[in-house]
Amino acid sequence: MGIKVLVVDDSSFFRRRVSEIVIQDPELEVIGTAVNGAEAVKLAAELNPHVITMDIEMPIMDGITAVKQIMANRPVPILMFSSLTHDGAKATLEALEAGALDFLPKRFEDIATNKNQAILLLQQRIKTLGRRRLFKPIVRSTIPAQSARRSVTPVLTRASMSTNNQTTTANVENATPRAHVIHRASGKKYKALLIGTSTGGPVALQKVLTQFPANYPHPILLVQHMPAAFTPTFAARLNSLCQITVKEAENGELLRPGCAYLAPGGMQMMLERHGNIGRIKILAGRAEMNYKPSVDITFASASKLFGGDVLAVVLTGMGADGREGARMLKAAGATIWAQDEASCVVYGMPQAVSKVGIATQSIGLDQMATAILKETFNAS
C-alpha cells in the first residue's frame, strides 16, 4: 500500500506543484487537496491520510491552528512549508511545538542546488514521515508555550535523579532495546555536553534543555540541522524557556558553564583551544557538505579539544550525521548516548550510532534530561 498524502495550501499553483512532485514517486499518492486549515481538518478526518503537507499562512484557518486541531482529533505526520524569514521561523517553531514533525522551505531553490535534488528531497521527507506510522504512534510535546523564563530552578535531589529514569542498552545486532534498566551515574568527570539532532530536534531539545538548572556546570554544544534564517529565532526561543543561557554561537567566543551554544545554520561550528579553555570557531559551510551545520564536524573537533571528557548525545534525526564524529569521540574515551527508537520522530541518526556499538545507552526522550543531569551534574 502506498503512502497517502493530503496537500494543503491556499495557492493553487503550489498545490499543483507539490502534487505533481508527490505522484512522480510510485510509493506516494495524493488523495486530496485543501485550500485552508479548516478544510484540512475536515479532510484529514474523512480521508485518513498518512502524511499532510501544510502551509502556514492561509485564510479562514492558518496552518498552526490546523495542526493543533488535527493532532488533537486524529494525529498524523505533518510536514510544514515555511518561508526563510524571521516570521517564518517563528511560525514554523510554533507549528512544530503544536505537533508537526518536520518542515521544508517553501521556495524549493532554498533546499537544493537543482530541481531534481529538490524533488527527491521532498519525496524522501514524505516517505520517511509516512513510514513512521507503521511502527509507533506520534509522540507529542507536552511542554506549554511560554513567553519568559521560568523563575523556579529545578531542585536536583537523589530521589528525583534516581527514580523514573529508565534507560535501555542498545542491541548492537538489531539496534533495538534489550531491556529497561535504571541509569546509574558512572562518576566520570566531564568538561562539556554535546547534542546533535535533526528531524524532530527542535521539540526534543526544548524538552531536554528546559529541565536543566541555571547552575549547570558545563558548556553545551548544540548542532541542529536548520536553515540559517531559523537558528537565531530558535536559540532565542530556547533561551526564553530555559534556566540556562541559550544562544546562537559566534566566532571567537569562549565556552562558559551553563551556556548552550547553537551552531549557526549554513555554517560549521568547531572548537579550538584558547589557553586552558575552549573557544568556538565558526566556518562557512562548504557546498559539498550535506549538512550545514554538521554534527560530525562539531563532534570531531570536540574530540581533539576535550578528548574523552565529553558526554555526546545523538537525538532524533534523519540520516547518519554524527556517527563518524561520535566514533572519534568514542576512540578518545568519550561517553556516547542515543535516543531510543520509540521516542524518536525519525530513528536515523540515533540508530546509526547504536547499531555499530558506538552508543552505550539508548534512552527515551522523557528520561533523557534526568539521565544527563545524573551523569554530568554530580560529576562536575
Side-chain angles (χ1 to χ4, degrees):
M1 182 177 66
I3 295 171
K4 299 178 180 179
V5 183
L6 174 63
V7 178
V8 184
D9 200 286
D10 61 325
S11 164
S12 60
F13 169 77
F14 197 75
R15 289 197 307 274
R16 183 173 64 252
R17 188 182 187 192
V18 171
S19 297
E20 289 172 348
I21 290 174
V22 170
I23 63 177
Q24 287 181 38
D25 192 302
E27 297 182 43
L28 304 176
E29 173 189 2
V30 176
I31 60 169
T33 61
V35 300
N36 58 61
E39 189 172 329
V41 174
K42 178 175 179 290
L43 291 179
E46 293 177 355
L47 301 178
N48 294 322
H50 300 143
V51 178
I52 298 174
T53 67
M54 181 80 72
D55 189 24
I56 291 179
E57 296 182 6
M58 295 181 291
I60 302 179
M61 181 186 290
D62 63 85
I64 298 173
T65 303
V67 169
K68 292 178 180 178
Q69 293 195 15
I70 290 169
M71 298 306 290
N73 298 330
R74 184 192 174 278
V76 58
I78 299 176
L79 173 67
M80 303 300 298
F81 283 112
S82 64
S83 61
L84 291 182
T85 64
H86 172 77
D87 289 341
K90 182 175 181 293
T92 301
L93 293 171
E94 290 176 0
L96 293 174
E97 187 170 339
L101 296 189
D102 201 2
F103 66 92
L104 282 175
K106 196 164 186 177
R107 290 191 345 139
F108 288 170
E109 53 266 39
D110 290 329
I111 63 175
T113 56
N114 59 68
K115 178 181 178 181
N116 289 336
Q117 186 182 34
I119 289 173
L120 291 174
L121 179 58
L122 175 56
Q123 292 170 341
Q124 180 192 37
R125 293 290 183 90
I126 292 174
K127 287 193 287 187
T128 298
L129 296 183
R131 290 173 183 142
R132 184 180 187 278
R133 78 188 192 280
L134 298 177
F135 62 90
K136 60 180 179 293
I138 292 174
V139 178
R140 289 184 290 162
S141 171
T142 57
I143 301 172
Q146 303 177 49
S147 59
R149 289 172 181 258
R150 292 174 295 175
S151 60
V152 179
T153 301
V155 178
L156 298 179
T157 65
R158 182 176 299 276
S160 67
M161 299 183 73
S162 62
T163 60
N164 298 322
N165 65 328
Q166 294 180 322
T167 65
T168 59
T169 302
N171 184 324
V172 176
E173 295 178 353
N174 58 21
T176 58
R178 288 177 183 151
H180 288 284
V181 296
I182 299 297
H183 174 72
R184 303 186 187 285
S186 66
K188 181 178 178 178
K189 301 295 184 181
Y190 292 95
K191 293 181 179 178
L193 170 65
L194 313 178
I195 304 178
T197 186
S198 183
T199 309
V203 172
L205 286 173
Q206 179 175 321
K207 185 156 194 169
V208 171
L209 296 178
T210 51
Q211 298 181 58
F212 281 32
N215 62 337
Y216 185 74
H218 310 296
I220 305 166
L221 287 304
L222 308 174
V223 183
Q224 162 74 57
H225 295 165
M226 187 172 275
F230 280 33
T231 44
T233 302
F234 182 43
R237 181 180 180 84
L238 287 175
N239 189 59
S240 72
L241 298 173
C242 294
Q243 294 295 309
I244 60 172
T245 299
V246 184
K247 67 185 301 294
E248 186 180 50
E250 300 178 62
N251 186 53
E253 64 181 320
L254 302 179
L255 298 180
R256 55 189 178 88
C259 185
Y261 303 88
L262 180 69
M267 309 293 280
Q268 300 296 355
M269 179 170 69
M270 302 182 69
L271 302 173
E272 60 184 6
R273 188 171 302 282
H274 181 76
N276 295 325
I277 58 178
R279 180 169 61 185
I280 291 175
K281 186 175 183 180
I282 302 297
L283 301 174
R286 299 198 307 269
E288 65 270 21
M289 292 294 299
N290 290 329
Y291 302 108
K292 300 184 283 285
S294 167
V295 181
D296 276 332
I297 287 179
T298 300
F299 278 18
S301 176
S303 72
K304 297 176 182 177
L305 177 62
F306 296 116
D309 300 331
V310 166
L311 172 61
V313 180
V314 180
L315 298 179
T316 173
M318 192 179 303
D321 186 31
R323 179 179 57 198
E324 299 312 311
R327 195 189 303 275
M328 293 180 66
L329 282 167
K330 177 95 169 179
T335 303
I336 314 296
W337 289 354
Q339 185 176 343
D340 73 354
E341 181 177 4
S343 65
C344 282
V345 170
V346 179
Y347 189 56
M349 290 166 56
Q351 182 185 42
V353 296
S354 292
K355 72 178 183 179
V356 295
I358 298 173
T360 58
Q361 296 284 338
S362 183
I363 302 174
L365 183 60
D366 286 341
Q367 294 80 39
M368 187 63 78
T370 301
I372 290 173
L373 292 175
K374 184 175 181 183
E375 176 69 17
T376 63
F377 197 95
N378 289 344
S380 61

